[in-house]
Amino acid sequence: MGYRLKRAAAALRGAMDRGLREHGLTVPQYACLELLDQQPGLSNAELARGTFVTRQSMNVVLRGLQDGGLITRPATTEHGRALPAHLTEEGRRRLAAARGVVYAIDQRLADAVPAERLPGLLADLDRLSAAFDE
């Protein structure tokens, strides 16, 4: 089962890598932009948790997005060490353009499963993830 899950995840990642490349984004960058669109002001640690990467990797992602003009972060903060990130107008534009690619890939996944089985599959995937919650 684990091998099949990994194979499906690798196929999904490959399709997303190819699709997002045309928008100048990586999968972690896209995921970061999506999270910031939903919850502006998230910190590096919060974004790392939400995109399934390490804090160190998220630092690289955020630097790339900032250098590309897709997000802004203050140089310093008044409280603690967290530097809240926000989308720029260019970040919103790039995210909107890339969403079509990601949504089309997600639809291909859904179309590969008979419609009457999809709710059960999604519930099973949630249970598989929860099996490792500690």
Side-chain angles (χ1 to χ4, degrees), residues 8-124:
L12 171 61
R13 177 65 184 253
M16 289 185 65
D17 284 338
R18 287 186 300 277
L20 290 171
R21 193 173 301 129
E22 68 188 60
H23 296 284
L25 295 171
T26 65
V27 173
Q29 286 175 328
Y30 171 81
C32 184
L33 293 177
E34 277 287 4
L35 279 176
L36 287 174
D37 188 49
Q38 296 166 18
Q39 299 177 63
L42 291 176
S43 69
N44 176 54
E46 293 165 325
L47 289 165
R49 279 190 297 278
T51 61
F52 310 106
V53 301
T54 65
R55 287 190 313 241
Q56 295 81 0
S57 294
M58 183 50 62
N59 279 329
V60 174
V61 170
L62 289 171
R63 240 186 334 270
L65 292 171
Q66 197 166 3
D67 291 348
L70 304 180
I71 66 163
T72 60
R73 293 190 326 158
T76 61
T77 183
E78 294 178 19
H79 299 81
R81 296 180 0 193
L83 300 175
H86 296 273
L87 293 178
T88 63
E89 284 305 314
E90 176 60 17
R92 283 185 193 81
R93 187 197 65 72
R94 185 91 58 92
L95 173 60
R99 273 187 178 139
V101 169
V102 173
Y103 290 3
I105 291 167
D106 196 58
Q107 187 61 53
R108 282 181 66 190
L109 286 174
D111 291 346
V113 178
E116 67 276 2
R117 290 183 48 204
L118 188 57
L121 173 62
L122 295 175
D124 288 344

